Structures are given as C-alpha cells and as structure tokens.
C-alpha cells in the first residue's frame, strides 16, 4: 500500500490543483492533501477554510484525505507513513524551485520520493495568486475554481479582504 502526499498552500484550491489530485488519486492507494499552515506567508484564507474547501471539492474521491500541518513537510509525511510527494509542474519556471525542494526533501528523509505530474495544458497558466487577483478585480472566477470556492471568494470580496 502506497500513501502519497500532495502538499501545498491551496490558498485557495484551483481547478489545476484538483486535476492533480484526481490524477494522483488514481496512481496511489491513498493520497493525503496536506495544507501548509505557513506562518511566513499571509494567506487570504485561514488554514481551516482552506481545508474545508478542499474537503468539499474532494468528497467524491474516497482515497483522498485532507489534513493540515505546520513545520517540515517531510516530518508530516513520515508521521503519516507517506513515501511519495506529489507536485505539479506547470512550466519551466516551476522547475528550479521544485527540483531544489525535491532534493532537500530527499536529503532530509531518504525514503521519500517526489513524483512530478505535468499540469494539464488547460490549467498550466493557473495559480492561486491569479485567482485572487481576478477576484480582486471582480472578474468571473468560475472557470478557475469550483462553485464552493467561488462563493468563498465572493464572501471575502464583500468583506473587502480581496
Ligand atoms: P505552494 O505554496 O507549495 O507552491 P500551491 O498551493 O501554490 O502551494 O501549489 C501546490 C502544488 O500544486 C505545487 O506543486 C504546484 O506546482 C501545484 N500547482 C499549482 N497550481 C497548479 C495548476 N494550475 N495545475 C497543476 N498544478 C498546480
């Protein structure tokens, strides 16, 4: 039984992330989507909100679990028995950072392997930052995110947070 982990900020989850989640869930017995509670970044959504949105999006995929963590990703992977890290690669611009991360994680925990999934071409331009930017300028974000995430973004708009 192979447990994989898909770590990220997911602030908020996009259709690009969901594409990776669906594909990775077919490759491994179990997939833990791990939401980083990163104190160095100021997210738009709290970690609880991000987890809740992801759970709603993934409720139809039985082998996917959503959890939050802080600290080192490899420590969380070890604690949960995950041996594979899944990351999405959008473009060459992602490559350098992702390679550095993969090598660091492997140095910290030699049992861990990173698997890169090439982003589907239709989502290769998409990022959580772009979604927040579009929401800020009152653009329709329904093609980028699921209806529950769109509703959450609209609520943030009403409060003037985005
Ligand atoms: P991080 O802060 O770790 O970059 P993100 O939530 O931005 O967290 O991304 C998590 C993972 O999802 C990363 O591997 C990233 O490359 C991937 N990813 C981000 N956007 C997309 C997308 N549109 N399509 C596929 N993968 C994506």
């Amino acid at each position: 039984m192979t447990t994989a982990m898909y770590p990220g900020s997911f602030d908020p989850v996009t259709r690009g992330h969901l594409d990776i989640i669906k594909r990775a869930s077919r490759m491994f017995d179990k997939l833990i989507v791990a939401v980083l509670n990163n104190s160095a970044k100021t997210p738009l959504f709290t970690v609880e909100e991000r987890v809740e949105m992801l759970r709603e999006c993934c409720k139809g995929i039985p082998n996917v679990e959503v959890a939050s963590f802080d600290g080192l990703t490899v420590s969380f992977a070890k604690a949960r028995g995950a041996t594979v890290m899944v990351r999405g690669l959008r473009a060459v611009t992602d490559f350098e950072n992702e390679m550095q991360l993969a090598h660091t994680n492997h140095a910290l925990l030699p049992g861990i392997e990173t698997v890169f999934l090439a982003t589907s071409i239709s989502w290769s331009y998409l990022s959580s930052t772009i979604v927040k930017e579009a929401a800020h300028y009152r653009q329709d974000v329904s093609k980028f995110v699921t209806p529950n995430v769109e509703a959450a973004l609209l609520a943030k708009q009403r409060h003037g947070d985005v």
Side-chain angles (χ1 to χ4, degrees):
M1 159 136 180
T2 306
T3 299
M5 185 166 274
Y6 179 36
S9 309
F10 306 103
D11 185 39
V13 56
T14 69
R15 292 189 188 275
H17 292 130
L18 292 175
D19 174 64
I20 298 286
I21 292 171
K22 277 184 204 136
R23 289 160 58 201
S25 73
R26 294 195 288 261
M27 296 169 63
F28 304 103
D29 300 299
K30 183 173 179 175
L31 180 70
I32 302 172
V33 181
V35 184
L36 176 60
N37 195 5
N38 188 347
S39 52
K41 286 188 184 174
T42 313
L44 173 62
F45 292 100
T46 65
V47 71
E48 292 80 14
E49 289 170 327
R50 286 179 274 150
V51 165
E52 182 53 41
M53 285 185 281
L54 270 159
R55 285 201 176 130
E56 174 69 24
C57 292
C58 299
K59 66 182 179 197
I61 321 173
N63 63 334
V64 171
E65 181 194 329
V66 183
S68 66
F69 73 105
D70 40 24
L72 275 178
T73 312
V74 284
S75 306
F76 190 53
K78 194 174 178 189
R80 299 300 306 269
T83 52
V84 175
M85 287 289 181
V86 174
R87 296 288 286 175
L89 272 188
R90 282 165 293 195
V92 276
T93 43
D94 279 345
F95 188 80
E96 205 173 318
N97 242 334
E98 291 293 339
M99 281 299 273
Q100 194 179 21
L101 214 67
H103 289 311
T104 307
N105 285 341
H106 199 263
L108 292 171
L109 185 63
I112 205 96
E113 294 294 347
T114 299
V115 167
F116 294 115
L117 293 188
T119 296
S120 298
I121 212 83
S122 39
W123 306 121
S124 58
Y125 64 92
L126 193 57
S127 68
S128 299
T129 305
I130 293 239
V131 169
K132 285 180 277 190
E133 190 109 331
H136 175 75
Y137 290 107
R138 306 292 187 262
Q139 298 302 298
D140 175 16
V141 293
S142 60
K143 25 177 172 350
F144 306 148
V145 297
T146 51
N148 62 314
V149 176
E150 185 185 10
L153 280 163
L154 288 171
K156 292 281 181 195
Q157 272 182 5
R158 282 194 294 276
H159 286 99
D161 295 334
V162 66

